[in-house]
Amino acid sequence: MKNKKLNEQTPSNKMNPKVDWYFNEAKKWQEELRKLRTIILECDLVEELKWGVPCYTFDKNNIVLIHVFKEYCAILFFKGTLIDDVKGILVQQTKNTQATRQIRFTSVSEILELEAIIKAYIFEAIEVEKAGLKVTFKKTTELEFPEEFQKYLDEMPELKTAFDALTPGRQKGYILYFSAAKQSKTRALRVEKSVENILAGKGLDD
């Protein structure tokens, strides 16, 4: 991994005011999130707000974002699967997650211990972007359908027909969305709410 010389700006000078509210209003992991923000901004990335969370870009390409969960907070690498995970700390969020990988934290001390590694991974992610490397995605047919969705397809032939008629990208979006839910009842609810859009030939975000 190649270390890069940091620019002379302090992280505070690179903080985007439009993103401040996220760190100020965080009810949990606030101290951890602020430390992650400082570390990331020391890596010469541009801070933006995307999908309601802090996202960090290089030449307008997404590199990492910060997000929180009940059990942990994390930074997510958009092309994490292309990073050489020499420390074995990158986590695949769900079994169908292909490109992205997380580093998870539950304390500030944990972040401080990994600070040098976090920066090294970020710099490698930047190099991946500079080199124009792309993730090779599995085809939709190679992804595992959640059984909650498969049940609907089996019981509603018209839904299967409509789903098969969607573009591969829209199909993949639904499968990943359903699979991301940890609990079966949540997956079933997501499927139920999506049936109408699928029948109408719409994608997840249409």
Side-chain angles (χ1 to χ4, degrees):
M1 296 185 182
K2 300 177 181 179
N3 286 331
K4 300 295 177 182
K5 183 179 180 180
L6 303 179
N7 69 22
E8 296 179 355
Q9 285 183 297
T10 62
S12 60
N13 288 338
K14 293 185 284 185
M15 291 178 179
N16 185 340
K18 294 180 180 179
V19 187
D20 287 343
W21 68 269
Y22 182 90
F23 298 94
N24 293 334
E25 295 184 12
K27 295 181 180 179
K28 192 174 184 181
W29 312 117
Q30 188 177 77
E31 190 176 352
E32 288 81 4
L33 294 177
R34 289 177 175 174
K35 182 57 184 175
L36 288 173
R37 184 188 198 186
T38 298
I39 291 172
I40 295 171
L41 287 177
E42 287 175 346
C43 296
D44 285 339
L45 295 180
V46 176
E47 184 174 65
E48 301 181 39
L49 188 68
K50 296 186 179 183
W51 309 287
V53 298
C55 180
Y56 300 85
T57 65
F58 178 83
D59 284 347
K60 299 184 179 180
N61 294 306
N62 298 326
I63 302 296
V64 296
L65 61 73
I66 291 175
H67 56 171
V68 298
F69 295 84
K70 184 178 180 180
E71 299 85 4
Y72 61 88
C73 61
I75 56 175
L76 179 140
F77 291 82
F78 284 88
K79 294 183 179 178
T81 189
L82 298 181
I83 294 175
D84 183 14
D85 185 17
V86 293
K87 296 296 183 180
I89 57 175
L90 293 179
V91 178
Q92 183 178 7
Q93 192 172 354
T94 71
K95 58 187 176 182
N96 282 329
T97 299
Q98 297 187 59
T100 62
R101 292 293 186 271
Q102 296 175 325
I103 304 179
R104 298 176 177 179
F105 308 97
T106 56
S107 68
V108 173
S109 60
E110 195 175 11
I111 295 172
L112 291 173
E113 183 179 342
L114 290 173
E115 182 171 352
I117 301 301
I118 295 169
K119 289 181 178 179
Y121 277 35
I122 291 174
F123 287 134
E124 183 171 347
I126 293 171
E127 292 300 317
V128 164
E129 203 59 53
K130 284 182 178 179
L133 300 182
K134 305 292 183 183
V135 176
T136 300
F137 290 95
K138 294 179 180 178
K139 296 180 180 178
T140 305
T141 53
E142 297 175 324
L143 296 176
E144 186 175 340
F145 282 38
E147 51 181 81
E148 294 81 6
F149 183 46
Q150 188 62 55
K151 181 180 178 181
Y152 267 83
L153 295 176
D154 294 340
E155 295 177 354
M156 297 178 62
E158 68 274 22
L159 181 64
K160 186 178 188 311
T161 300
F163 185 77
D164 289 343
L166 294 175
T167 63
R170 285 181 170 138
Q171 292 177 354
K172 187 182 298 182
Y174 278 117
I175 294 172
L176 296 180
Y177 172 62
F178 300 151
S179 300
K182 293 183 178 180
Q183 297 186 357
S184 176
K185 67 177 183 180
T186 305
R187 291 193 294 271
L189 183 60
R190 290 185 177 187
V191 172
E192 181 182 347
K193 290 183 176 181
S194 300
V195 167
E196 187 175 339
N197 275 352
I198 294 174
L199 290 173
K202 296 180 179 180
L204 188 62
D205 299 317
D206 291 346

